[in-house]
Amino acid sequence: MQKNLVIVESPAKAKTIGKFLGDDYEVLSSYGHIRDLKKKEFSIDVKNDFAPKYEIPAEKKELVSKLKTEAGKASTVWLASDEDREGEAISWHLYEVLKLKPENTKRIVFHEITKTAILNAIQHPRKIDTNLVDAQQARRILDRIVGFELSPILWRKVKPALSAGRVQSVAVRLVVDKEREIQAFKSESSYRVLATFIVPGENGKLVELKAELARRPKTKAEAEAFLESCKGATFTIADKVVKPVKRSPAPPFTTSTLQQEAARKLGFTVNRTMMVAQNLYESGLITYMRTDSVDLSSLALATCKRVIGEQMGEQYSHSRQFTTKTLGAQEAHEAIRPTNIGDASVSGSAQEKRLYDLIWKRTIASQMADAELEKTTVTIMSSHGDKFTVTGEVITFDGFIRVYRESYDDDNTQEEESGLLPPLEKNQILSHQNITATERFTQHPPRYTEASLVRKLEELGIGRPSTYAPIISTIQQRGYVDKDNKEGEKREATVLKLEKGEITGKVNTEMVGAEKSKLIPTDIGLVVNDFLNQYFPDILDYHFTAHVEKEFDEVAEGQKKWTEILKKFYGTFHPSVEATLAIKTEHKVGERILGNEPATGKVVSVKIGRFGPMIQVGSANDEEKPRFAQMPKGISMEAITMEEALEMFKLPRTLGEYEDKPVSVNIGRFGPYVRHGSLYASMPKEKDPMTITFDESVELILAKREAEAKRHIKSFDEDPDLAILNGRFGPYISYKGSNYKIPKGTVPEELDLAGCQKIIAEQGEKKKASPRRKATAKSAKKS
DNA sequence: CAGTGAGCGAGCTTCCGCTTGACTT
């Protein structure tokens, strides 16, 4: 049987290619890598030239055996994974694992999914590029060395289950450095002076013209003096310049720019964007969504030209091929674009429609003519020699703006621009209505959003399109970074106004610097970052990835051996790991001593404990056991004061005795509670554990006692494991640690043993909550 | 979401890049 087997990376791609190639070809997918370093072990034999130990992960076993059988039946096997370092390695692993033979194995590549591109690829097969494979192995092994040697140091020195790596640790560093930059930022104020003139407009009607003073007075006194000087001044138009300006469209989407624009325009998280894009891709509506290329296929260019011509006219069309400038880009795919550019909209969920619309517009706009504008700059001079300017912009040809305009992160810094200016002549004398001087403050740099952090990582060549979203998740999951809102600060700004020869002043209060959904480092993030930065500055260097990438490139080009690179790296890295582990310090990493507790003289300190940041009174060496408390919310380890720390030890408070047992209040994992013997009652939100009274606490205890009593509806002597209970969400059946819903219409009191067993059988044996699910439930509660 | 309220004593955790499922809640 004469048959060809083609193996690609993605099943959606396999489907499309299958249609192009016809019946002689069977097209299967490898679903990415089929083999990797062992999951749990270090898996690198350092002494033996860094020999890697690969394994086929359990979830890939079935797939691999299927590929093996099909390969055995085929006369020729075509390895068609992506044309980049990872793709080459995938082909090589396939070759090795499937035990393919050189005589009937061919390696082909294409970077657009069009019939011509694929048929052309079939015509030009090559061999597996072992240099490229070696470059991938060097990358993989270096990442494993860094991750698996650094992480255990953190477990020992900071907290278990933490992690470090070439990519994530630098991502955290970016967020930490930004935060420190903001802390160090000192806001300065100056006065923005605006003069409002009254001039005749187009149709003779009087209109306002606002012009800004070119310089900015630094102080209130200076601003006042300036307004004073304007009292008798005259104002004349000294100059008027009109010049044409062109704006060009942005290139089509890559993964990173799609994530940024979807965040700005649609409010999507990077994860959301990728999930929705994946759906569009699997439905065949867009090209591959993990790409670093801005390239469009010639077919796409031609379609854009036709669509733009038909819908808007020839003058709107302007074919462009953009070039990718991103550091380390591998360009194995096209840019992200609609597969059928003629379809301006698609069916699907609301989110899919919106994301598709964004992709369609961006693609079309990238092939449209420049926008043409006319920019007018008018200079106004006062008789005292002070210069004012006013600018106006008029669109003379909208071009690509008709379809799409890119958004920017810091909208507040953009000056408001006026559109069309009234007719103005040089030497025209203007009369002013008023002049205001408004105090303005410089703003600290904005914190990163998920998407702007991705942009920064991409700029530094760190991470790949397939990993941007996971990186953002990882640094949040590890508790290094929180996504949170930051409240603005209250500011008092002075406003001075000269009107009708009088200067008046007032003070406005304004909120400035508020930020939404920004990445903020946690205490753990700060401590881990400072620690790694101190002992492993090379790895934490923003340019570490760029440096090693350069070496990987040399391997790919056959100029260097991959083992040499690793030997050199390990030779300096591993000793610093050993040295760091050997360091014995008096204090824990990140520990801060606040002082001594006034009452006892014991040392009060803050540090990262087994369960996160905590406050400790006394030390382990003291006779008495130390006391512990959780860090209060919203206060950082770096900023907490002695008073704030001691406040946390005022709990548990014992309020008195009730029925011979003490009544106390405390804050637990699930918030404040009242305790009475073995009974715990959660405190409602409006109650404060510091101020709740004894009587209020007893009320809560009695209420809880009643709920407990009602909780038990029924139990059965035949099976003590089974009980019908009343929970927060109504009655349910509890059986051997699992809970089962009682179907609607069933009265719980009337259920008998057989009825219960039937329900349990119907809902099936439930697994106990996995640790992973527990962890997410916990973090959900925290936020 | 069906309860709970600790404090590093044992075992485990961890990297980065390819790619999609099959599970509930």
PDB file of all heavy atoms in Angstrom, chain A residues 385-414:
ATOM      1  N   GLY A 385       6.831  89.632  25.665  1.00  0.00           N
ATOM      2  CA  GLY A 385       7.729  88.629  25.094  1.00  0.00           C
ATOM      3  C   GLY A 385       7.447  87.214  25.527  1.00  0.00           C
ATOM      4  O   GLY A 385       8.280  86.322  25.382  1.00  0.00           O
ATOM      5  N   ASP A 386       6.258  86.953  26.081  1.00  0.00           N
ATOM      6  CA  ASP A 386       5.906  85.581  26.452  1.00  0.00           C
ATOM      7  C   ASP A 386       5.225  84.877  25.282  1.00  0.00           C
ATOM      8  O   ASP A 386       4.394  85.477  24.594  1.00  0.00           O
ATOM      9  CB  ASP A 386       4.979  85.596  27.669  1.00  0.00           C
ATOM     10  CG  ASP A 386       5.737  85.929  28.937  1.00  0.00           C
ATOM     11  OD1 ASP A 386       6.689  85.195  29.254  1.00  0.00           O
ATOM     12  OD2 ASP A 386       5.402  86.948  29.581  1.00  0.00           O
ATOM     13  N   LYS A 387       5.590  83.602  25.123  1.00  0.00           N
ATOM     14  CA  LYS A 387       5.125  82.871  23.949  1.00  0.00           C
ATOM     15  C   LYS A 387       4.018  81.872  24.319  1.00  0.00           C
ATOM     16  O   LYS A 387       4.145  81.082  25.252  1.00  0.00           O
ATOM     17  CB  LYS A 387       6.319  82.111  23.353  1.00  0.00           C
ATOM     18  CG  LYS A 387       6.060  81.455  22.028  1.00  0.00           C
ATOM     19  CD  LYS A 387       7.380  80.956  21.444  1.00  0.00           C
ATOM     20  CE  LYS A 387       7.274  79.495  21.077  1.00  0.00           C
ATOM     21  NZ  LYS A 387       8.557  78.940  20.654  1.00  0.00           N
ATOM     22  N   PHE A 388       2.938  81.921  23.559  1.00  0.00           N
ATOM     23  CA  PHE A 388       1.843  80.944  23.689  1.00  0.00           C
ATOM     24  C   PHE A 388       1.732  80.174  22.383  1.00  0.00           C
ATOM     25  O   PHE A 388       2.016  80.722  21.319  1.00  0.00           O
ATOM     26  CB  PHE A 388       0.504  81.659  23.923  1.00  0.00           C
ATOM     27  CG  PHE A 388       0.348  82.249  25.299  1.00  0.00           C
ATOM     28  CD1 PHE A 388       0.944  83.463  25.624  1.00  0.00           C
ATOM     29  CD2 PHE A 388      -0.420  81.605  26.264  1.00  0.00           C
ATOM     30  CE1 PHE A 388       0.794  84.006  26.881  1.00  0.00           C
ATOM     31  CE2 PHE A 388      -0.577  82.156  27.525  1.00  0.00           C
ATOM     32  CZ  PHE A 388       0.023  83.365  27.845  1.00  0.00           C
ATOM     33  N   THR A 389       1.303  78.926  22.488  1.00  0.00           N
ATOM     34  CA  THR A 389       1.059  78.195  21.242  1.00  0.00           C
ATOM     35  C   THR A 389      -0.300  77.505  21.281  1.00  0.00           C
ATOM     36  O   THR A 389      -0.821  77.171  22.346  1.00  0.00           O
ATOM     37  CB  THR A 389       2.117  77.093  20.990  1.00  0.00           C
ATOM     38  OG1 THR A 389       2.156  76.256  22.131  1.00  0.00           O
ATOM     39  CG2 THR A 389       3.482  77.663  20.717  1.00  0.00           C
ATOM     40  N   VAL A 390      -0.838  77.304  20.105  1.00  0.00           N
ATOM     41  CA  VAL A 390      -2.066  76.541  19.966  1.00  0.00           C
ATOM     42  C   VAL A 390      -1.934  75.702  18.696  1.00  0.00           C
ATOM     43  O   VAL A 390      -1.394  76.164  17.693  1.00  0.00           O
ATOM     44  CB  VAL A 390      -3.301  77.467  19.934  1.00  0.00           C
ATOM     45  CG1 VAL A 390      -3.171  78.534  18.877  1.00  0.00           C
ATOM     46  CG2 VAL A 390      -4.575  76.668  19.713  1.00  0.00           C
ATOM     47  N   THR A 391      -2.341  74.441  18.807  1.00  0.00           N
ATOM     48  CA  THR A 391      -2.241  73.594  17.625  1.00  0.00           C
ATOM     49  C   THR A 391      -3.604  73.028  17.270  1.00  0.00           C
ATOM     50  O   THR A 391      -4.456  72.828  18.140  1.00  0.00           O
ATOM     51  CB  THR A 391      -1.285  72.393  17.843  1.00  0.00           C
ATOM     52  OG1 THR A 391      -1.763  71.644  18.956  1.00  0.00           O
ATOM     53  CG2 THR A 391       0.133  72.842  18.101  1.00  0.00           C
ATOM     54  N   GLY A 392      -3.798  72.804  16.008  1.00  0.00           N
ATOM     55  CA  GLY A 392      -5.034  72.193  15.547  1.00  0.00           C
ATOM     56  C   GLY A 392      -4.715  71.180  14.473  1.00  0.00           C
ATOM     57  O   GLY A 392      -3.721  71.307  13.754  1.00  0.00           O
ATOM     58  N   GLU A 393      -5.536  70.149  14.425  1.00  0.00           N
ATOM     59  CA  GLU A 393      -5.281  69.094  13.447  1.00  0.00           C
ATOM     60  C   GLU A 393      -6.551  68.785  12.705  1.00  0.00           C
ATOM     61  O   GLU A 393      -7.615  68.638  13.304  1.00  0.00           O
ATOM     62  CB  GLU A 393      -4.832  67.827  14.179  1.00  0.00           C
ATOM     63  CG  GLU A 393      -3.465  67.358  13.768  1.00  0.00           C
ATOM     64  CD  GLU A 393      -3.059  66.110  14.544  1.00  0.00           C
ATOM     65  OE1 GLU A 393      -3.929  65.323  14.938  1.00  0.00           O
ATOM     66  OE2 GLU A 393      -1.866  65.962  14.752  1.00  0.00           O
ATOM     67  N   VAL A 394      -6.444  68.717  11.393  1.00  0.00           N
ATOM     68  CA  VAL A 394      -7.604  68.381  10.586  1.00  0.00           C
ATOM     69  C   VAL A 394      -7.238  67.194   9.704  1.00  0.00           C
ATOM     70  O   VAL A 394      -6.168  67.185   9.092  1.00  0.00           O
ATOM     71  CB  VAL A 394      -8.028  69.565   9.699  1.00  0.00           C
ATOM     72  CG1 VAL A 394      -9.295  69.205   8.935  1.00  0.00           C
ATOM     73  CG2 VAL A 394      -8.244  70.803  10.525  1.00  0.00           C
ATOM     74  N   ILE A 395      -8.114  66.216   9.678  1.00  0.00           N
ATOM     75  CA  ILE A 395      -7.870  65.064   8.810  1.00  0.00           C
ATOM     76  C   ILE A 395      -8.302  65.428   7.398  1.00  0.00           C
ATOM     77  O   ILE A 395      -9.449  65.808   7.164  1.00  0.00           O
ATOM     78  CB  ILE A 395      -8.657  63.833   9.306  1.00  0.00           C
ATOM     79  CG1 ILE A 395      -8.129  63.401  10.675  1.00  0.00           C
ATOM     80  CG2 ILE A 395      -8.570  62.693   8.312  1.00  0.00           C
ATOM     81  CD1 ILE A 395      -8.950  62.321  11.345  1.00  0.00           C
ATOM     82  N   THR A 396      -7.370  65.337   6.454  1.00  0.00           N
ATOM     83  CA  THR A 396      -7.734  65.637   5.075  1.00  0.00           C
ATOM     84  C   THR A 396      -8.074  64.369   4.303  1.00  0.00           C
ATOM     85  O   THR A 396      -8.819  64.383   3.346  1.00  0.00           O
ATOM     86  CB  THR A 396      -6.584  66.377   4.367  1.00  0.00           C
ATOM     87  OG1 THR A 396      -5.377  65.642   4.578  1.00  0.00           O
ATOM     88  CG2 THR A 396      -6.423  67.777   4.925  1.00  0.00           C
ATOM     89  N   PHE A 397      -7.478  63.253   4.736  1.00  0.00           N
ATOM     90  CA  PHE A 397      -7.835  61.958   4.165  1.00  0.00           C
ATOM     91  C   PHE A 397      -7.732  60.926   5.276  1.00  0.00           C
ATOM     92  O   PHE A 397      -6.668  60.746   5.875  1.00  0.00           O
ATOM     93  CB  PHE A 397      -6.894  61.610   3.005  1.00  0.00           C
ATOM     94  CG  PHE A 397      -7.132  60.233   2.441  1.00  0.00           C
ATOM     95  CD1 PHE A 397      -8.363  59.899   1.859  1.00  0.00           C
ATOM     96  CD2 PHE A 397      -6.141  59.267   2.495  1.00  0.00           C
ATOM     97  CE1 PHE A 397      -8.587  58.632   1.356  1.00  0.00           C
ATOM     98  CE2 PHE A 397      -6.361  57.989   1.986  1.00  0.00           C
ATOM     99  CZ  PHE A 397      -7.586  57.679   1.413  1.00  0.00           C
ATOM    100  N   ASP A 398      -8.817  60.244   5.597  1.00  0.00           N
ATOM    101  CA  ASP A 398      -8.791  59.388   6.778  1.00  0.00           C
ATOM    102  C   ASP A 398      -7.963  58.114   6.618  1.00  0.00           C
ATOM    103  O   ASP A 398      -7.389  57.620   7.573  1.00  0.00           O
ATOM    104  CB  ASP A 398     -10.217  59.067   7.268  1.00  0.00           C
ATOM    105  CG  ASP A 398     -11.094  58.465   6.184  1.00  0.00           C
ATOM    106  OD1 ASP A 398     -10.616  58.325   5.041  1.00  0.00           O
ATOM    107  OD2 ASP A 398     -12.261  58.146   6.467  1.00  0.00           O
ATOM    108  N   GLY A 399      -7.878  57.585   5.381  1.00  0.00           N
ATOM    109  CA  GLY A 399      -7.054  56.385   5.177  1.00  0.00           C
ATOM    110  C   GLY A 399      -7.422  55.269   6.140  1.00  0.00           C
ATOM    111  O   GLY A 399      -8.599  54.998   6.360  1.00  0.00           O
ATOM    112  N   PHE A 400      -6.423  54.636   6.760  1.00  0.00           N
ATOM    113  CA  PHE A 400      -6.657  53.467   7.625  1.00  0.00           C
ATOM    114  C   PHE A 400      -7.470  53.805   8.869  1.00  0.00           C
ATOM    115  O   PHE A 400      -8.115  52.948   9.461  1.00  0.00           O
ATOM    116  CB  PHE A 400      -5.330  52.829   8.032  1.00  0.00           C
ATOM    117  CG  PHE A 400      -4.583  53.588   9.087  1.00  0.00           C
ATOM    118  CD1 PHE A 400      -4.743  53.268  10.429  1.00  0.00           C
ATOM    119  CD2 PHE A 400      -3.731  54.636   8.747  1.00  0.00           C
ATOM    120  CE1 PHE A 400      -4.060  53.963  11.410  1.00  0.00           C
ATOM    121  CE2 PHE A 400      -3.047  55.338   9.722  1.00  0.00           C
ATOM    122  CZ  PHE A 400      -3.220  55.005  11.056  1.00  0.00           C
ATOM    123  N   ILE A 401      -7.446  55.107   9.285  1.00  0.00           N
ATOM    124  CA  ILE A 401      -8.174  55.496  10.499  1.00  0.00           C
ATOM    125  C   ILE A 401      -9.668  55.202  10.358  1.00  0.00           C
ATOM    126  O   ILE A 401     -10.381  55.003  11.326  1.00  0.00           O
ATOM    127  CB  ILE A 401      -7.924  56.994  10.800  1.00  0.00           C
ATOM    128  CG1 ILE A 401      -6.477  57.193  11.234  1.00  0.00           C
ATOM    129  CG2 ILE A 401      -8.859  57.522  11.866  1.00  0.00           C
ATOM    130  CD1 ILE A 401      -6.106  58.626  11.480  1.00  0.00           C
ATOM    131  N   ARG A 402     -10.101  55.152   9.115  1.00  0.00           N
ATOM    132  CA  ARG A 402     -11.500  54.832   8.852  1.00  0.00           C
ATOM    133  C   ARG A 402     -11.900  53.498   9.473  1.00  0.00           C
ATOM    134  O   ARG A 402     -13.062  53.287   9.841  1.00  0.00           O
ATOM    135  CB  ARG A 402     -11.680  54.771   7.317  1.00  0.00           C
ATOM    136  CG  ARG A 402     -13.051  54.406   6.874  1.00  0.00           C
ATOM    137  CD  ARG A 402     -13.212  54.688   5.410  1.00  0.00           C
ATOM    138  NE  ARG A 402     -14.437  54.091   4.915  1.00  0.00           N
ATOM    139  CZ  ARG A 402     -14.885  54.261   3.699  1.00  0.00           C
ATOM    140  NH1 ARG A 402     -14.205  55.026   2.850  1.00  0.00           N
ATOM    141  NH2 ARG A 402     -15.994  53.698   3.306  1.00  0.00           N
ATOM    142  N   VAL A 403     -10.938  52.619   9.604  1.00  0.00           N
ATOM    143  CA  VAL A 403     -11.244  51.269  10.080  1.00  0.00           C
ATOM    144  C   VAL A 403     -10.741  51.015  11.492  1.00  0.00           C
ATOM    145  O   VAL A 403     -11.416  50.390  12.301  1.00  0.00           O
ATOM    146  CB  VAL A 403     -10.604  50.226   9.115  1.00  0.00           C
ATOM    147  CG1 VAL A 403     -10.719  48.825   9.684  1.00  0.00           C
ATOM    148  CG2 VAL A 403     -11.266  50.312   7.758  1.00  0.00           C
ATOM    149  N   TYR A 404      -9.563  51.515  11.804  1.00  0.00           N
ATOM    150  CA  TYR A 404      -8.911  51.052  13.032  1.00  0.00           C
ATOM    151  C   TYR A 404      -7.882  52.056  13.510  1.00  0.00           C
ATOM    152  O   TYR A 404      -7.113  52.599  12.741  1.00  0.00           O
ATOM    153  CB  TYR A 404      -8.194  49.737  12.733  1.00  0.00           C
ATOM    154  CG  TYR A 404      -7.462  49.129  13.900  1.00  0.00           C
ATOM    155  CD1 TYR A 404      -8.070  48.193  14.724  1.00  0.00           C
ATOM    156  CD2 TYR A 404      -6.144  49.487  14.166  1.00  0.00           C
ATOM    157  CE1 TYR A 404      -7.396  47.634  15.786  1.00  0.00           C
ATOM    158  CE2 TYR A 404      -5.460  48.933  15.226  1.00  0.00           C
ATOM    159  CZ  TYR A 404      -6.085  48.007  16.027  1.00  0.00           C
ATOM    160  OH  TYR A 404      -5.411  47.443  17.072  1.00  0.00           O
ATOM    161  N   ARG A 405      -7.882  52.274  14.816  1.00  0.00           N
ATOM    162  CA  ARG A 405      -6.860  53.131  15.400  1.00  0.00           C
ATOM    163  C   ARG A 405      -6.304  52.437  16.637  1.00  0.00           C
ATOM    164  O   ARG A 405      -7.054  51.958  17.480  1.00  0.00           O
ATOM    165  CB  ARG A 405      -7.490  54.469  15.802  1.00  0.00           C
ATOM    166  CG  ARG A 405      -6.483  55.598  15.932  1.00  0.00           C
ATOM    167  CD  ARG A 405      -7.132  56.744  16.636  1.00  0.00           C
ATOM    168  NE  ARG A 405      -7.937  57.566  15.747  1.00  0.00           N
ATOM    169  CZ  ARG A 405      -7.602  58.822  15.435  1.00  0.00           C
ATOM    170  NH1 ARG A 405      -6.513  59.353  15.906  1.00  0.00           N
ATOM    171  NH2 ARG A 405      -8.393  59.538  14.658  1.00  0.00           N
ATOM    172  N   GLU A 406      -5.005  52.370  16.735  1.00  0.00           N
ATOM    173  CA  GLU A 406      -4.354  51.680  17.858  1.00  0.00           C
ATOM    174  C   GLU A 406      -4.538  52.485  19.137  1.00  0.00           C
ATOM    175  O   GLU A 406      -4.530  53.700  19.133  1.00  0.00           O
ATOM    176  CB  GLU A 406      -2.863  51.508  17.571  1.00  0.00           C
ATOM    177  CG  GLU A 406      -2.206  50.519  18.497  1.00  0.00           C
ATOM    178  CD  GLU A 406      -0.748  50.240  18.112  1.00  0.00           C
ATOM    179  OE1 GLU A 406      -0.173  51.015  17.334  1.00  0.00           O
ATOM    180  OE2 GLU A 406      -0.206  49.252  18.594  1.00  0.00           O
ATOM    181  N   SER A 407      -4.676  51.750  20.272  1.00  0.00           N
ATOM    182  CA  SER A 407      -4.820  52.426  21.564  1.00  0.00           C
ATOM    183  C   SER A 407      -3.472  52.484  22.273  1.00  0.00           C
ATOM    184  O   SER A 407      -2.557  51.736  21.961  1.00  0.00           O
ATOM    185  CB  SER A 407      -5.797  51.665  22.450  1.00  0.00           C
ATOM    186  OG  SER A 407      -7.028  51.528  21.805  1.00  0.00           O
ATOM    187  N   TYR A 408      -3.395  53.369  23.236  1.00  0.00           N
ATOM    188  CA  TYR A 408      -2.172  53.478  24.026  1.00  0.00           C
ATOM    189  C   TYR A 408      -2.497  53.309  25.496  1.00  0.00           C
ATOM    190  O   TYR A 408      -3.597  53.603  25.945  1.00  0.00           O
ATOM    191  CB  TYR A 408      -1.492  54.831  23.774  1.00  0.00           C
ATOM    192  CG  TYR A 408      -1.088  54.981  22.341  1.00  0.00           C
ATOM    193  CD1 TYR A 408      -1.937  55.587  21.420  1.00  0.00           C
ATOM    194  CD2 TYR A 408       0.118  54.450  21.895  1.00  0.00           C
ATOM    195  CE1 TYR A 408      -1.589  55.692  20.083  1.00  0.00           C
ATOM    196  CE2 TYR A 408       0.473  54.542  20.567  1.00  0.00           C
ATOM    197  CZ  TYR A 408      -0.376  55.159  19.659  1.00  0.00           C
ATOM    198  OH  TYR A 408      -0.028  55.237  18.345  1.00  0.00           O
ATOM    199  N   ASP A 409      -1.511  52.837  26.246  1.00  0.00           N
ATOM    200  CA  ASP A 409      -1.740  52.564  27.662  1.00  0.00           C
ATOM    201  C   ASP A 409      -1.989  53.819  28.477  1.00  0.00           C
ATOM    202  O   ASP A 409      -2.926  53.902  29.239  1.00  0.00           O
ATOM    203  CB  ASP A 409      -0.538  51.825  28.248  1.00  0.00           C
ATOM    204  CG  ASP A 409      -0.581  50.353  27.868  1.00  0.00           C
ATOM    205  OD1 ASP A 409      -1.699  49.859  27.652  1.00  0.00           O
ATOM    206  OD2 ASP A 409       0.475  49.732  27.782  1.00  0.00           O
ATOM    207  N   ASP A 410      -1.113  54.789  28.332  1.00  0.00           N
ATOM    208  CA  ASP A 410      -1.209  55.969  29.193  1.00  0.00           C
ATOM    209  C   ASP A 410      -1.960  57.101  28.493  1.00  0.00           C
ATOM    210  O   ASP A 410      -1.363  58.051  28.017  1.00  0.00           O
ATOM    211  CB  ASP A 410       0.158  56.443  29.668  1.00  0.00           C
ATOM    212  CG  ASP A 410       1.246  56.083  28.670  1.00  0.00           C
ATOM    213  OD1 ASP A 410       0.892  55.589  27.593  1.00  0.00           O
ATOM    214  OD2 ASP A 410       2.417  56.307  28.966  1.00  0.00           O
ATOM    215  N   ASP A 411      -3.270  56.945  28.467  1.00  0.00           N
ATOM    216  CA  ASP A 411      -4.110  57.930  27.792  1.00  0.00           C
ATOM    217  C   ASP A 411      -4.068  59.292  28.475  1.00  0.00           C
ATOM    218  O   ASP A 411      -4.243  60.324  27.837  1.00  0.00           O
ATOM    219  CB  ASP A 411      -5.572  57.460  27.751  1.00  0.00           C
ATOM    220  CG  ASP A 411      -5.748  56.378  26.695  1.00  0.00           C
ATOM    221  OD1 ASP A 411      -4.900  56.318  25.787  1.00  0.00           O
ATOM    222  OD2 ASP A 411      -6.709  55.610  26.797  1.00  0.00           O
ATOM    223  N   ASN A 412      -3.819  59.280  29.796  1.00  0.00           N
ATOM    224  CA  ASN A 412      -3.894  60.544  30.523  1.00  0.00           C
ATOM    225  C   ASN A 412      -2.759  61.505  30.170  1.00  0.00           C
ATOM    226  O   ASN A 412      -2.857  62.695  30.397  1.00  0.00           O
ATOM    227  CB  ASN A 412      -3.921  60.284  32.037  1.00  0.00           C
ATOM    228  CG  ASN A 412      -2.861  59.279  32.450  1.00  0.00           C
ATOM    229  OD1 ASN A 412      -2.199  58.683  31.590  1.00  0.00           O
ATOM    230  ND2 ASN A 412      -2.680  59.101  33.740  1.00  0.00           N
ATOM    231  N   THR A 413      -1.666  60.972  29.642  1.00  0.00           N
ATOM    232  CA  THR A 413      -0.554  61.861  29.323  1.00  0.00           C
ATOM    233  C   THR A 413      -0.761  62.560  27.981  1.00  0.00           C
ATOM    234  O   THR A 413      -0.066  63.498  27.656  1.00  0.00           O
ATOM    235  CB  THR A 413       0.778  61.090  29.260  1.00  0.00           C
ATOM    236  OG1 THR A 413       0.662  60.094  28.259  1.00  0.00           O
ATOM    237  CG2 THR A 413       1.109  60.459  30.591  1.00  0.00           C
ATOM    238  N   GLN A 414      -1.717  62.055  27.227  1.00  0.00           N
ATOM    239  CA  GLN A 414      -1.936  62.666  25.919  1.00  0.00           C
ATOM    240  C   GLN A 414      -2.620  64.020  26.066  1.00  0.00           C
ATOM    241  O   GLN A 414      -3.606  64.166  26.772  1.00  0.00           O
ATOM    242  CB  GLN A 414      -2.797  61.736  25.066  1.00  0.00           C
ATOM    243  CG  GLN A 414      -1.999  60.570  24.546  1.00  0.00           C
ATOM    244  CD  GLN A 414      -2.571  60.058  23.258  1.00  0.00           C
ATOM    245  OE1 GLN A 414      -3.765  59.813  23.164  1.00  0.00           O
ATOM    246  NE2 GLN A 414      -1.756  59.935  22.246  1.00  0.00           N
TER     247      GLN A 414
END
